[in-house]
Amino acid sequence: MTDFVLATAEPTTMLSHMALYGLAAIVEDGGLEDVRLSWTAGMTPRPVLSAPQATPETIGEIVRRHAARHDTPESWPNRQISEGEQRALMSPRISVISSSEGWRSLQDRRHHVLNQLTNARAMLDLRLIAALGEPSYWSKNRKGDRLQDDGASRLEMQPRNQGSEFVGNRIRPLAAAVAARTAAEVSDGLLGRSVRDEIGKDRPDSRTPTGFASPGPTDNAVAWCALWGISQFPIAQRTNGFAITSGHIGRGTSGYFYVPVWDGRWRTARHRTIIASEQLSQFASTGLAPDSIGRASDDDPSSGEAARQWLASRDVIAVVRFPVHRFGSDSAPERRAILGELLKTGRR
């Protein structure tokens, strides 16, 4: 096995975890076999991708090709809501569509894209779109107004000011930036040898991390992988209220994100299983007030201990919990995962 270490990725920053998850999904989708995820040992653990041919040249070229494939006019990120409408068709949160005809047209066009991706067996693309969610035409308040953000993943934190949306304002420009690099430039960014924030113009207040880290210059290859990391967090839609997002606890858009840290090398399928488990959610809720996470106050107090034991038996050594804070104005708030806290399972 060859190790590809994201050497500057701090475990207390959610961007680091998401970049590992997305990178593993991308290179596995790109044909690399026997892909594993792990963390280095010691006081300053770093995320590691391992595979028999995980050389910088191979990884860089797979990620570059992946971005280039999504930078073409016919790719799903470049599909628009309608002719002359720049907003992306596959974004989970868009400005409200007022008419029933508009909603039917939106759904018909989205289904057409999904059918094309299904026929092409583009499983990673389908997994990301499903994990992002969709505008929830079915969710309404007491006045009958549609609450179309209710169907979106909590991990989708692109601010909605001035009509911006996730696919058009993040996926599209990142695809173009990473596709324009050489394979070596992509791998250098992932390995931490350089930091180039093309879409953020290297500004000190760059929003390229899109809520997974504090504003600041962020290498675009790292950001590209991090956003594709969302594909590993499935959601469950509800007829009333926000969709339930794996890796999130809390009411609405507030609360906490959480991810595991483990011993050994995991396949991506095993990682997805743990991420979506109730035990991980229960343990991540340790020490939190029930009202703050939307749980009933009469939950069995032994459930946290049972969850801890379940995780420890599966080589999870800790869970990192990231509080979600809101910044900016009430009309266009920014949500952001701040530095995480470590909850140890006691496994040694």
Side-chain angles (χ1 to χ4, degrees):
M1 300 287 277
T2 303
D3 291 342
F4 186 91
V5 183
L6 283 65
T8 59
E10 293 282 351
T12 55
T13 302
M14 192 169 181
L15 180 74
S16 303
H17 300 262
M18 299 300 290
L20 173 64
Y21 307 161
L23 175 62
I26 289 169
V27 298
E28 191 172 62
D29 184 69
L32 205 62
E33 297 181 350
D34 202 17
V35 174
R36 307 294 179 96
L37 299 79
S38 63
W39 289 83
T40 61
M43 297 296 292
T44 56
R46 294 292 185 264
V48 183
L49 182 141
S50 304
Q53 297 181 350
T55 64
E57 296 77 13
T58 299
I59 298 295
E61 179 57 22
I62 290 176
V63 174
R64 189 203 65 79
R65 285 203 312 264
H66 178 260
R69 190 168 73 248
H70 294 88
D71 187 39
T72 61
E74 64 274 12
S75 67
W76 65 263
N78 284 300
R79 302 291 181 91
Q80 300 175 3
I81 288 180
S82 61
E83 194 69 30
E85 169 58 83
Q86 292 298 315
R87 288 177 297 166
L89 175 65
M90 305 309 288
S91 273
R93 295 190 301 134
I94 54 177
S95 298
V96 174
I97 296 175
S98 57
S99 68
S100 297
E101 293 77 11
W103 281 106
R104 281 194 290 269
S105 175
L106 178 73
Q107 288 301 307
D108 287 345
R109 300 194 70 204
R110 285 180 62 94
H111 291 167
H112 178 69
V113 171
L114 294 175
N115 287 337
Q116 288 182 320
L117 292 172
T118 300
N119 291 336
R121 299 186 64 81
M123 299 308 298
L124 181 56
D125 297 79
L126 290 167
R127 186 169 280 142
L128 176 61
I129 292 171
L132 285 173
E134 63 177 310
S136 52
Y137 59 87
W138 60 86
S139 184
K140 299 180 181 179
N141 62 17
R142 293 180 179 179
K143 296 180 180 179
D145 301 322
R146 285 188 174 91
L147 305 174
Q148 57 96 25
D149 286 3
D150 283 5
S153 169
R154 300 303 97 199
L155 292 164
E156 196 273 84
M157 293 180 283
Q158 168 67 20
R160 285 275 300 279
N161 54 312
Q162 300 180 345
S164 63
E165 34 79 19
F166 182 82
V167 174
N169 292 83
R170 281 295 178 267
I171 294 290
R172 284 177 188 168
L174 279 172
V178 177
R181 293 187 183 186
T182 65
E185 289 170 338
V186 172
S187 63
D188 282 349
L190 293 169
L191 291 168
R193 295 171 179 169
S194 65
V195 177
R196 294 177 54 202
D197 189 352
E198 295 95 328
I199 72 167
K201 304 185 187 305
D202 294 311
R203 292 190 298 264
D205 63 345
S206 168
R207 264 46 177 190
T208 297
T210 321
F212 292 139
S214 298
T218 303
D219 188 83
N220 283 188
V222 172
W224 174 253
C225 291
L227 296 189
W228 280 83
I230 297 175
S231 66
Q232 307 301 287
F233 292 78
I235 68 173
Q237 299 288 7
R238 297 192 295 174
T239 55
N240 293 301
F242 288 100
I244 299 174
T245 301
S246 300
H248 175 263
I249 48 177
R251 295 184 180 277
T253 57
S254 60
Y256 302 81
F257 296 129
Y258 58 88
V259 294
V261 178
W262 58 92
D263 186 28
R265 292 173 171 172
W266 282 5
R267 295 184 184 275
T268 56
R270 178 179 178 84
H271 174 256
R272 285 194 299 272
T273 299
I274 299 297
I275 283 288
S277 69
E278 176 63 17
Q279 290 85 352
L280 187 66
S281 175
Q282 288 176 344
F283 187 68
S285 304
T286 300
L288 298 178
D291 288 347
S292 70
I293 57 174
R295 292 186 182 277
S297 58
D298 60 348
D299 275 358
D300 182 355
S302 66
S303 62
E305 174 59 20
R308 185 197 65 77
Q309 293 180 12
W310 188 89
L311 293 169
S313 70
R314 286 158 177 79
D315 300 324
V316 176
I317 58 178
V319 172
V320 189
R321 186 170 65 196
F322 302 91
V324 181
H325 286 191
R326 288 163 57 100
F327 300 85
S329 66
D330 291 336
S331 59
E334 290 186 50
R335 290 187 298 125
R336 193 180 307 156
I338 64 173
L339 292 179
E341 56 179 324
L342 205 65
L343 306 175
K344 295 183 179 180
T345 66
R347 185 194 179 280
R348 300 190 179 188

